Amino acid sequence: MTDRPLTLMAVHAHPDDEATGTGGVLARYAAEGVRTVLVTCTDGGCGDGPGGVKPGDPGHDPAAVAVLRRQELEASCEVLKISDLEMLDYADSGMMGWPTNDAPGSFWRTPVKEGAARLAELMRHYRPDVVVTYDENGFYGHPDHIQAHRITMAALEMTSLTPKVYWTTMPRSMMERFGEIMREFGEDMPEPDPAEAAALAEIGLPDDEITTWVDTTAFSGQKFDALAAHASQGENIFFLRMGKERFGELMGTETFVRVQDATGAPVPEKDLFAGLRPE
């Protein structure tokens, strides 16, 4: 037996991703005494600058944006009571097809083996019982999310650790509701072209393929506040427009697909740590 606390490690691409996909579980498990470790792979320098200035526009300074986003990330971690923040500090690669994909130091052009070796060292240090990251497509095709997935899975192979491993996802039933919800809040949603519609239809999973449904209703206020801490990106964070009460009604469950497990815990499950807690 050991006094080491149960440990959750979430590997995310950018500042604010920790709140969007896993803010609920990070807050819930921190409240339960789990050690929560956040690894953020990039500096977020391709985000909006002060006043909403966009990447590539006059006045956008990626270095200054990165400094601001680090401060916002630390504020989010405080809200979510994250135990440990680790920054890999690769340059934000921007959206797929942007020139920043291939800029020197970008996460996207970093050899997977290099990033994985750095992450493997963190895994050996923290010895997580549960690791959470994205699926092979980075959930929606963002290059830094895809790269975070790649280095996480490669890092696990470099260690002798056997944590439960999860990829974030969303039930297709919820994806179908998003268009309605966005129209409810006055979003101008043009009809996507057939290729875009096909891509959107591939996001998430059919409900019956989701292995893990975690109730985070009691922590939805913290999740909302963590998102709000990333104020410089507020224009891009649709969920903030709902207001905290409506957000809590809609965002009270976080869903995952379990891809590695040595516990034999049956699925579907309601707890990332199912099979790991004392009986």
Side-chain angles (χ1 to χ4, degrees):
M1 296 296 290
T2 175
D3 292 331
R4 187 182 69 83
L6 288 171
T7 300
L8 166 64
M9 175 179 283
V11 183
H12 281 293
H14 311 98
D16 77 23
D17 290 332
E18 80 290 340
T20 305
T22 55
V25 292
L26 287 166
R28 170 180 162 166
Y29 290 121
E32 293 180 4
V34 171
R35 186 176 195 179
T36 50
V37 180
L38 170 63
V39 180
T40 301
C41 296
T42 79
D43 60 10
C46 286
D48 289 357
V53 62
K54 303 296 181 186
D57 287 351
H60 187 277
D61 179 353
V65 171
V67 170
L68 175 59
R69 297 198 71 186
R70 172 63 183 256
Q71 294 167 349
E72 292 175 338
L73 177 59
E74 290 173 352
S76 172
C77 288
E78 179 64 27
V79 169
L80 297 173
K81 307 302 179 189
I82 289 170
S83 309
D84 301 271
L85 170 63
E86 298 284 354
M87 297 284 291
L88 299 187
D89 270 333
Y90 290 108
D92 189 341
S93 310
M95 300 298 286
M96 191 67 81
W98 288 12
T100 45
N101 291 175
D102 296 315
S106 77
F107 189 37
W108 182 240
R109 71 175 288 178
T110 297
V112 169
K113 194 171 184 179
E114 175 191 320
R118 293 180 62 195
L119 182 57
E121 281 302 304
L122 294 174
M123 289 179 174
R124 294 185 189 104
H125 174 72
Y126 288 107
R127 302 189 66 81
D129 301 283
V130 171
V131 173
V132 176
T133 192
Y134 315 100
D135 62 19
E136 304 101 317
N137 192 46
F139 185 61
Y140 68 99
H142 192 296
D144 287 330
H145 291 227
I146 294 169
Q147 188 76 330
H149 163 86
R150 290 173 176 170
I151 74 162
T152 301
M153 302 313 290
L156 287 163
E157 290 184 3
M158 292 178 178
T159 74
S160 60
L161 303 173
T162 56
K164 296 178 79 177
V165 180
Y166 294 89
W167 297 341
T168 57
T169 190
M170 187 169 289
R172 293 265 169 84
S173 59
M174 186 62 184
M175 292 300 300
E176 290 170 5
R177 291 179 60 197
F178 269 140
E180 301 168 14
I181 294 167
M182 293 180 81
R183 282 189 289 274
E184 176 186 340
F185 286 89
E187 292 296 299
D188 181 17
M189 291 284 290
E191 286 296 320
D193 65 34
E196 289 176 342
L200 287 170
E202 293 301 311
I203 293 177
L205 287 173
D207 292 35
D208 62 0
E209 292 183 19
I210 291 175
T211 63
T212 311
W213 306 69
V214 184
D215 182 0
T216 60
T217 305
F219 304 94
S220 59
Q222 276 176 266
K223 180 171 178 173
F224 184 92
D225 290 342
L227 282 167
H230 296 280
S232 69
Q233 308 307 304
E235 182 181 327
N236 304 317
I237 303 175
F238 161 73
F239 301 111
L240 294 175
R241 303 174 205 180
M242 296 181 181
K244 188 176 285 189
E245 182 176 350
R246 182 74 164 131
F247 178 86
E249 292 171 3
L250 295 169
M251 306 299 291
T253 301
E254 291 182 350
T255 51
F256 306 86
V257 59
R258 192 175 82 189
V259 296
Q260 178 175 303
D261 171 61
T263 70
V267 294
E269 60 187 359
K270 299 179 180 179
D271 179 9
L272 297 178
F273 290 89
L276 292 168
R277 301 179 189 272
E279 292 296 330

